[in-house]
Amino acid sequence: MALSGGLRERKKVKTRRAIQREALRLFLDRGYEQTTVEQVAEAAEVSVSTFFRYFATKEDVVLTDDYDPLFLAELDNRPADEALIGTLRHAIVSTLRAIMEHDRQEMLARIQLISRAPDLQARYWQEHRTGLRRIVEQLRFRSGSRIDEFDLRVVTAALIGAVTEAELFWAENDGIDSLVDLVDRALQQVGGFVRL
Amino acid sequence: MALSGGLRERKKVKTRRAIQREALRLFLDRGYEQTTVEQVAEAAEVSVSTFFRYFATKEDVVLTDDYDPLFLAELDNRPADEALIGTLRHAIVSTLRAIMEHDRQEMLARIQLISRAPDLQARYWQEHRTGLRRIVEQLRFRSGSRIDEFDLRVVTAALIGAVTEAELFWAENDGIDSLVDLVDRALQQVGGFVRL
Amino acid sequence: MALSGGLRERKKVKTRRAIQREALRLFLDRGYEQTTVEQVAEAAEVSVSTFFRYFATKEDVVLTDDYDPLFLAELDNRPADEALIGTLRHAIVSTLRAIMEHDRQEMLARIQLISRAPDLQARYWQEHRTGLRRIVEQLRFRSGSRIDEFDLRVVTAALIGAVTEAELFWAENDGIDSLVDLVDRALQQVGGFVRL
Amino acid sequence: MALSGGLRERKKVKTRRAIQREALRLFLDRGYEQTTVEQVAEAAEVSVSTFFRYFATKEDVVLTDDYDPLFLAELDNRPADEALIGTLRHAIVSTLRAIMEHDRQEMLARIQLISRAPDLQARYWQEHRTGLRRIVEQLRFRSGSRIDEFDLRVVTAALIGAVTEAELFWAENDGIDSLVDLVDRALQQVGGFVRL
DNA sequence: ACAGCCGGGACGTCCCGTTGAT
DNA sequence: ATCAACGGGACGTCCCGGCTGT
């Protein structure tokens, strides 16, 4: 029942992080496909069973994050009368800024991995596309705005495509640029004139 | 070695098409992951070995098409001094128009399949994204134009995202709309103000 | 230690029944193999550990019932000089009649479940076969009668096979017939002329 | 295309038999559950993949046989006007007799195994029950006879129960009796007076 | 040359026994 | 006394590469 206290709960979080950390390390070292779940489990000092208890599939180790609540909170921080596209841009950028402060290394590792394994790349885009669509849908609904569904979907996909690409670019250069700046620029480039 | 004559060559093309056709049919019926290579091979009346001779991996059956030459030809048809973004838009739309005339049914089937298997959806975007990037790179190089690589990539990804989404939308509605119109509209919506 | 009083004892029985009820419901819904112990435990609101405290294996949830005492009591009600085969027939039928009065719904559910899962069907027959064998063995021993072991086993297996089949038939027709009548008829059909 | 010539075809049969032989040997030695598929594969000098190519599940190694054609042939040998129950009895016994002549050892091993592993026992009965039902159904149809479906099912289940029990009895005594005689006696005992 | 068979190995699922916290 | 977490291991599925017989 304890939310973040509880020795139990804390240990679980630790285990989860350990698995993810070791997985990312190994994946980066020898490649995603070349690393087996067993090796990851061993490195994290857990059994394979436990690995699959924490992550349903091998892909999930790389793709799972808990940034959604953060992002939703950022959305709430924006004024209600702001243009949708602006709200999104600011929320995305703010969320990334927060992530960069605490989890920069991990973020870099994750995206680097994604940028190297087509499988992951693909699912990454996909996940974000549907996630964002749901959110935009809801925002739009709440603001009483009427946007044609087709336009909504198309613009969403384009934005996510741009953001994803910016992230990949960042990771490929080993993070020498500022991810926040890159993404902001990408959003401006693509979304600057879109009305939504 | 004959390019398009040669009985040998023709038979090969036929086999390839047969495999692809049966694969798409089965994938659509029962889902991509739920269909095994063996089942596809059997349906196409070839051995599994043969399957892998024609397609390196299972995914390739879905991702491979032969529209690239068509698209390149359309690019050549555009005036050299046209803005890149316009060139792309017209070439894409024209290519699609040509495809619609001859292969509409097959195209619809393919995209419908893709629209139902998230995995493939993602892979589809991914494939086109890098394809388009290579092409734009080359155009830009030929015209001596200087576009920042980052911008190029971001815009490319966004465009493909939009086009893909339009195609999915079209397929989900069983092709009731005009694909050409939808894609054109998507490209206007997203690319209308992008400078490239 | 109390036999049927004792709050403790009562709670245990309740839990046991809860597990069994939920298990049967889920098995019927999605099939025996397709349902995991974890899902059953969750539905019964106990932990997996607890599940295994009450039932040694997954199969036992289906196979276990508490009709044996009832059946033994019915056996005692028969005159000592009755032919064995007749005793069995009457005891079986009487027991079923009693069950029908109180637990008809549950019985129907159980058998319907069993009728859909071949695995369980077989296990059901198997369980009853050995159970009945033990009982007949004892009756025979008590009455000083001499029946060849082989004959005993063969006839027992046949009778249980017939009864099981009658039950399945009943369940497949959603209990539209009278189970008691069906079983009686089955026993007549098969056991009418057997000497035991 | 070669039916029984062809080195290929012969090798397949050999492999299949080798797997089955080693499996039965090991299962009898250390118990069915205690033996892993991997151990069987190793003993048969094939890979685990190959094991599963020949037998879909571990159970199938024990339960699969090719006696159906034999049995069907025996059925055809009976006069068309014979009583159904007699036809069955003679066909079953004749088939067993033939099996005993060639595959006695293997048969004994298989049934011994089945008699020790409840899992197998159960599926064995089950398999035969439905198999026989189909056959009886067809015989009945061909002879234009009208038997109530319920009676048919009940009697079939009883017969199979008896036969199965006889086989188990035989196997438990290490085959010192004559299986043919035992089964014949069982069929007489149970089916002697049944009209079908 | 070209099919079919086989090996190898990863993944993911599930059962059940054990241990330590509550 | 109960529960959650973990370990261990079997099973079965599938992909793809290499060998082998026809």
Side-chain angles (χ1 to χ4, degrees), chain B:
Chain B
M1 280 302 151
L3 242 171
S4 81
L7 192 137
R8 197 92 112 208
E9 221 53 31
R10 284 255 269 285
K11 172 147 194 207
K12 275 175 81 164
V13 170
K14 249 185 78 179
T15 304
R16 185 185 186 81
R17 289 210 174 255
I19 294 175
Q20 207 165 33
R21 178 165 27 84
E22 295 304 316
L24 292 179
R25 192 175 55 75
L26 290 174
F27 291 166
L28 260 177
D29 263 22
R30 12 183 139 164
Y32 175 75
E33 305 259 342
Q34 281 64 49
T35 309
T36 71
V37 170
E38 194 171 339
Q39 288 162 355
V40 173
E42 190 161 0
E45 297 183 320
V46 297
S47 71
V48 176
S49 319
T50 301
F51 175 97
F52 281 112
R53 232 196 306 294
Y54 284 90
F55 299 94
T57 76
K58 187 183 171 188
E59 282 179 336
D60 286 338
V61 192
V62 187
L63 276 340
T64 301
D65 62 50
D66 12 300
Y67 298 139
D68 275 20
L70 215 70
F71 180 60
L72 291 176
E74 291 293 347
L75 279 179
D76 277 348
N77 281 347
R78 307 300 308 172
D81 58 350
E82 188 182 33
L84 223 174
I85 192 81
T87 301
L88 287 177
R89 180 172 148 215
H90 285 106
I92 291 174
V93 168
S94 298
T95 305
L96 278 179
R97 202 189 316 276
I99 293 173
M100 284 300 99
E101 276 174 29
H102 300 96
D103 295 332
R104 192 175 184 284
Q105 277 315 307
E106 196 193 316
M107 183 75 173
L108 183 55
R110 282 187 55 188
I111 311 270
Q112 271 183 339
L113 158 62
I114 291 170
S115 84
R116 270 160 232 186
D119 274 23
L120 295 178
Q121 232 163 103
R123 226 61 208 329
Y124 189 64
W125 167 72
Q126 142 94 16
E127 199 79 353
H128 284 319
R129 180 181 66 108
T130 59
L132 184 55
R133 187 152 88 224
R134 258 197 301 278
I135 288 165
V136 173
E137 184 96 29
Q138 190 169 346
L139 287 184
R140 164 179 85 114
F141 179 78
R142 206 167 57 186
S143 73
S145 163
R146 331 234 123 215
I147 303 174
D148 185 73
E149 195 202 335
F150 177 75
D151 291 341
L152 163 67
R153 287 181 52 171
V154 162
V155 171
T156 306
L159 290 181
I160 288 296
V163 171
T164 300
E165 194 73 33
E167 291 177 342
L168 294 176
F169 183 90
W170 174 67
E172 283 167 25
N173 292 356
D174 291 318
I176 203 174
D177 306 298
S178 154
L179 175 58
V180 173
D181 289 354
L182 287 179
V183 168
D184 198 37
R185 179 168 157 199
L187 284 171
Q188 264 185 333
Q189 177 84 337
V190 170
F193 296 85
V194 174
R195 279 157 310 157
L196 202 64

Side-chain angles (χ1 to χ4, degrees), chain D residues 113-179:
Chain D
L113 259 178
I114 291 172
S115 82
R116 279 169 217 175
D119 270 25
L120 299 177
Q121 219 162 114
R123 240 195 81 183
Y124 189 62
W125 168 71
Q126 157 78 24
E127 213 104 308
H128 283 322
R129 187 181 65 114
T130 58
L132 185 55
R133 187 148 90 223
R134 256 197 301 277
I135 287 165
V136 173
E137 183 91 31
Q138 190 169 345
L139 289 182
R140 168 180 83 114
F141 180 77
R142 206 169 55 183
S143 74
S145 164
R146 337 233 121 214
I147 303 172
D148 186 74
E149 195 203 332
F150 177 75
D151 291 340
L152 164 68
R153 286 180 52 171
V154 161
V155 170
T156 304
L159 290 180
I160 286 297
V163 171
T164 301
E165 194 72 33
E167 291 177 343
L168 294 177
F169 182 90
W170 173 70
E172 284 168 24
N173 291 353
D174 291 318
I176 63 172
D177 305 300
S178 153
L179 175 57

Side-chain angles (χ1 to χ4, degrees), chain C residues 184-193, chain D residues 151 154-155 194-196:
Chain C
D184 197 37
R185 179 168 157 198
L187 285 171
Q188 265 186 333
Q189 176 85 336
V190 171
F193 297 84
Chain D
D151 291 340
V154 161
V155 170
V194 174
R195 274 160 313 159
L196 203 60

Side-chain angles (χ1 to χ4, degrees), chain D residues 37-86:
Chain D
V37 169
E38 195 172 343
Q39 288 162 355
V40 172
E42 193 161 356
E45 297 183 314
V46 297
S47 70
V48 175
S49 304
T50 299
F51 176 96
F52 281 112
R53 243 178 241 116
Y54 281 91
F55 299 95
T57 73
K58 189 184 172 188
E59 283 183 345
D60 284 335
V61 194
V62 184
L63 296 175
T64 297
D65 61 52
D66 356 312
Y67 300 141
D68 276 19
L70 217 70
F71 179 60
L72 292 177
E74 293 293 347
L75 279 179
D76 276 349
N77 281 346
R78 308 299 311 170
D81 57 349
E82 189 182 32
L84 222 172
I85 192 83

Side-chain angles (χ1 to χ4, degrees), chain C residues 30-42:
Chain C
R30 10 183 140 162
Y32 175 74
E33 304 259 342
Q34 282 63 49
T35 309
T36 71
V37 170
E38 194 171 340
Q39 288 161 355
V40 173
E42 190 161 0

Side-chain angles (χ1 to χ4, degrees), chain C residues 59 118-119 121-123 125-126 129-130 133 148-155 157-159 161-162 164-166 168-169 172 182-183 185-187 189-190 193-196, chain D residues 118-119 121-123 125-126 129-130 133 148-155 157-162 164-166 168-169 172 182-183 185-187 189-190 193-196:
Chain C
E59 282 179 336
D119 274 24
Q121 235 163 97
R123 226 61 207 326
W125 167 71
Q126 143 92 17
R129 181 182 65 110
T130 60
R133 187 152 88 224
D148 185 74
E149 196 202 333
F150 177 74
D151 291 340
L152 163 67
R153 286 181 52 171
V154 161
V155 171
L159 290 181
T164 300
E165 195 72 34
L168 294 177
F169 183 90
E172 283 167 25
L182 288 178
V183 168
R185 179 168 157 198
L187 285 171
Q189 176 85 336
V190 171
F193 297 84
V194 174
R195 278 158 310 159
L196 202 63
Chain D
D119 270 25
Q121 219 162 114
R123 240 195 81 183
W125 168 71
Q126 157 78 24
R129 187 181 65 114
T130 58
R133 187 148 90 223
D148 186 74
E149 195 203 332
F150 177 75
D151 291 340
L152 164 68
R153 286 180 52 171
V154 161
V155 170
L159 290 180
I160 286 297
T164 301
E165 194 72 33
L168 294 177
F169 182 90
E172 284 168 24
L182 288 178
V183 168
R185 180 168 157 199
L187 283 171
Q189 177 85 335
V190 171
F193 295 86
V194 174
R195 274 160 313 159
L196 203 60

